[in-house]
Amino acid sequence: MTTPDYAEKIPNNVALAEDRRLQRALESWQPNFLTWWETMGPALPTQDVYLRTAVNVGREGWARFGHVPMRDYRWGIFLAEPDPDRRIAFGRHKGEPAWQQVPGEYRAELRRLIVIQGDTEPASVEQQRNLGATAPSLYDLRNLFQVNVEEGRHLWAMVYLLHAHFGREGREEAEELLHRNSGSADAPRILGAFNEETPDWLSFFMFTYFTDRDGKYQLGTLKESAFDPLSRTCEFMLKEEAHHMFVGTTGVDRVVERTAQVMVEKDTDDVAALGVIPLPVIQKYLNFHYSVSLDLFGGETSTNVANYYTAGLKGRWMEERRKDDHLLDSDAISVDALVDGEIGLTEVSALTGLNTDLRREYIADCAGGVKRWNRILEGAGLPHRLALPHPAFNRKVGAFAGIEASPAGELLSAAEWDQRKGQWLPTDTDKTFVRSLMRPVYERGKIAAWLAPPRNGINGKPFDYDYVHLA
Ligand SMILES: [Fe+2]
Ligand SMILES: [Fe+2]
C-alpha cells in the first residue's frame, strides 16, 4: 500500500492501478497540468536541475536527489502511512473512527476546504515564474525550482482528493485549479496574498518565510481532519513544506548578514550605494509580507470555522497536544477587535475564535525568525533590530480592515496613513532599487553581492556544485 509505484505514469502509493476509472481520470488531467507547467511555471529555460523527488513516505529516507529535466519531474501522489486505528480527536465525532470516505453531510464543506488549499499551490508557482531570470546563484536557482516542483506536487495532492472522492464536481474543480491564475483580472486565485507578484528575490525569501509558513499552519489544521485521506495527504505535504520555509529563513539570514557586514566594514547605515539592501528596506518588505500573510487566516471570529471544527473537518494546530476537552463548547478566547473605535480585545467563544487561535500560533512562530535575524545584527555588533509590526498594521481582512495603524499599533487617520505609509511599506523607489540589484549570477560558485553565501550546500554537495544546467 505505501510502496510507491514508479513504473506508473503517475507515481503513487495509493494503489492507483487498482482503480482504473480514477487512474484514467487523473491521466487525462495530467497533460493539462503539464501544459499549465510549461506556460505558467518557471520561465527560465533549463536542461536539468538537481532536485529532490519524493519516493517514499517512511522514516527511513523519503527522497532521492539527482539532476532531472524539470518537465520530467515525477509529480506523484503520496499519502503518509495509514494508522488503521486512527480516531477523530475533536468535535462532535470525537472518539469515532476516522473517515475513509467523505460523509454526504460534509461533502460541500470538505470540497471547499480542499479547493482553497489546492488553489494556493499553483498560485505560488505562477507568482515566482520569472525569478529564475535574476537568480543570485545556481544554489538559489535550484532552491527556487525545488519549491516550484513541490508546490506543483501539492496541487497533485489536492487534485487526487478531488478526483478520488468528489465525483464530477471534484473533476470540475480540478480543471478550475488550472484555469484560475495569480493576478488574473477575470479568474484570479482565491486568496489575496496569492495574487500579489513576487517580483524580486527579497520578496521571494519573505514569501517563503511568511506565506509558506501560513501554509504550514493551514496544513497543520487539515492534518487533524477526521477525513483520513486529507489528513494523511497534509501530513506528507508538511514534510516538503519544511524546506520551503528553510529557503525563506536562511534567505533572509543571508541578506541581513551581508548588509550587516557592509555596514560594519564601511561604518555607515547608508549602504544602498554600496550594492546591498539597507535594513529599513528589509524591514519594509518584512512588514508587507507579514501583514498580508496575517490576512490569510481570515476574520478574528468565524462561525464557518466553528462549524468545521465541531464537524471534525479542520482541527487546531497540534490538536492532540492541547489539554482541554477538544469540544470547546464552554471555553472563551479574547480576540483582536475595535472597541469604541480603539484597537483592543473582546472575549468570544473559543469555537468562533479559532482563526485567532491559529493566527497566534503563527505569530509566535514568525517571532522566531525575527529573533534569529536580530542575533545576526547583534553578532555583527550593530544596535539595529528588526521587528514584527502590530497585527493592526496594513490589514485588509478582519477587525482592523477598516482602520489604519502604525507598525507600533497607534491608530492613524487616513491622511496620516497616506502621508507616512512610505516609511513602513516598500515604495516604488524601494522596489526599483531592490530590482536594480537583481542581476543573475549563473556561474558555478559565484554569488550576487547583496547576500551572503549559504553555510552549506544541498544534500551534502558544496555551494559551488553545478545545481542547474541552463539550456
Ligand atoms: Fe505547498
Ligand atoms: Fe510551500
Side-chain angles (χ1 to χ4, degrees):
M1 178 70 181
T2 59
T3 313
D5 191 344
Y6 265 86
E8 294 290 324
K9 249 181 165 171
I10 304 167
N12 70 90
N13 71 346
V14 293
L16 198 54
E18 287 165 27
D19 187 341
R20 288 287 164 196
R21 260 183 69 172
L22 176 59
Q23 187 179 37
R24 267 201 306 276
L26 285 166
E27 283 180 1
S28 72
W29 185 80
Q30 193 174 32
N32 300 346
F33 169 82
L34 286 171
T35 303
W36 167 81
W37 177 263
E38 302 270 284
T39 51
M40 301 303 290
L44 184 74
T46 50
Q47 282 178 51
D48 58 38
V49 183
Y50 187 69
L51 291 173
R52 165 176 90 173
T53 304
V55 289
N56 214 333
V57 297
R59 222 162 285 157
E60 56 302 325
W62 58 276
R64 103 185 139 207
F65 286 81
H67 281 99
V68 283
M70 269 197 288
R71 201 185 196 279
D72 299 338
Y73 189 76
R74 305 302 314 272
W75 285 281
I77 299 161
F78 300 106
L79 274 59
E81 298 276 357
D83 168 3
D85 301 321
R86 180 168 177 253
R87 292 191 174 262
I88 301 166
F90 60 96
R92 174 192 306 145
H93 303 286
K94 188 179 158 218
E96 296 171 19
W99 314 321
Q100 298 310 320
Q101 296 300 328
V102 177
E105 54 184 317
Y106 302 134
R107 198 176 165 84
E109 287 87 346
L110 272 170
R111 194 181 73 215
R112 184 75 190 146
L113 287 171
I114 292 166
V115 165
I116 290 175
Q117 182 60 43
D119 194 66
T120 66
E121 312 290 355
S124 64
V125 177
E126 294 164 356
Q127 290 171 290
Q128 295 160 12
R129 168 170 168 73
N130 293 312
L131 286 174
T134 56
S137 73
L138 289 183
Y139 164 90
D140 289 289
L141 186 59
R142 178 264 165 211
N143 283 346
L144 167 71
F145 292 151
Q146 183 69 61
V147 170
N148 292 161
V149 292
E150 283 173 354
E151 300 304 5
R153 204 201 68 73
H154 292 176
L155 172 61
W156 270 97
M158 294 297 121
V159 164
Y160 163 72
L161 294 176
L162 289 169
H163 273 237
H165 295 279
F166 295 89
R168 190 171 55 82
E169 287 142 322
R171 291 192 293 278
E172 284 168 6
E173 294 283 16
E175 287 304 321
E176 285 305 305
L177 286 170
L178 295 177
H179 175 68
R180 283 186 294 272
N181 290 141
S182 179
S184 154
D186 36 283
R189 291 295 175 186
I190 297 169
L191 300 170
F194 291 91
N195 287 303
E196 302 280 350
E197 48 175 346
T198 310
D200 59 68
W201 281 76
L202 181 58
S203 298
F204 174 62
F205 293 142
M206 292 293 179
F207 184 97
T208 41
Y209 187 82
F210 289 107
T211 309
D212 276 291
R213 189 170 309 272
D214 156 72
K216 166 182 161 184
Y217 283 83
Q218 303 301 340
L219 291 175
T221 65
L222 296 175
K223 182 180 87 100
E224 304 294 339
S225 182
F227 179 41
D228 202 46
L230 175 60
S231 165
R232 290 169 54 211
T233 300
C234 291
E235 188 177 336
F236 189 65
M237 288 163 74
L238 278 164
K239 229 172 182 170
E240 292 166 314
E241 208 60 56
H243 173 72
H244 307 179
M245 284 172 290
F246 163 86
V247 169
T249 309
T250 56
V252 180
D253 280 359
R254 292 159 54 211
V255 178
V256 172
E257 184 185 334
R258 180 69 186 131
T259 296
Q261 196 184 0
V262 173
M263 285 170 74
V264 170
E265 252 170 49
K266 307 285 175 181
D267 193 20
T268 177
D269 295 359
D270 195 10
V271 290
L274 300 167
V276 299
I277 306 174
L279 287 178
V281 176
I282 297 174
Q283 178 68 60
K284 288 184 194 182
Y285 273 68
L286 184 163
N287 289 347
F288 173 75
H289 286 272
Y290 175 67
S291 55
V292 300
S293 298
L294 289 184
D295 279 346
L296 291 171
F297 291 83
E300 284 69 19
T301 60
S302 164
T303 43
N304 272 345
V305 174
N307 293 336
Y308 294 159
Y309 184 84
T310 302
L313 311 184
K314 194 176 167 185
R316 284 172 295 173
W317 179 250
M318 298 285 169
E319 181 69 45
E320 283 166 67
R321 289 201 206 157
R322 306 277 186 131
K323 302 259 180 293
D324 52 35
D325 65 2
H326 304 275
L327 300 172
L328 311 181
D329 288 331
S330 47
D331 299 350
I333 181 175
S334 66
V335 302
D336 288 334
L338 281 185
V339 183
D340 303 325
E342 298 289 319
I343 294 169
L345 291 168
T346 188
E347 197 168 274
V348 299
S349 85
L351 278 174
T352 49
L354 281 170
N355 278 347
T356 294
D357 179 80
L358 190 63
R359 180 159 33 226
R360 283 192 185 138
E361 296 286 340
Y362 169 81
I363 290 173
D365 194 355
C366 288
V370 174
K371 218 171 168 185
R372 184 185 163 107
W373 304 324
N374 283 339
R375 266 203 302 270
I376 295 173
L377 295 172
E378 199 182 347
L382 293 169
H384 311 67
R385 296 293 178 262
L386 296 168
L388 292 179
H390 190 278
F393 172 78
N394 192 39
R395 297 295 301 283
K396 304 280 182 279
V397 173
F400 304 133
I403 58 142
E404 300 300 351
S406 72
E410 2 147 44
L411 211 52
L412 302 173
S413 69
E416 276 175 301
W417 168 256
D418 279 335
Q419 203 180 38
R420 296 175 70 189
K421 69 178 179 198
Q423 300 167 25
W424 304 317
L425 289 171
T427 60
D428 287 342
T429 312
D430 297 325
K431 291 181 200 170
T432 306
F433 167 71
V434 170
R435 274 195 220 205
S436 76
L437 299 180
M438 301 293 134
R439 304 266 170 75
V441 178
Y442 297 143
E443 224 179 306
R444 274 178 75 165
K446 293 273 160 56
I447 188 154
W450 57 271
L451 80 176
R455 302 234 176 284
N456 301 297
I458 292 296
N459 192 35
K461 302 288 183 214
F463 171 66
D464 65 1
Y465 187 63
D466 55 341
Y467 289 108
V468 181
H469 296 121
L470 297 177

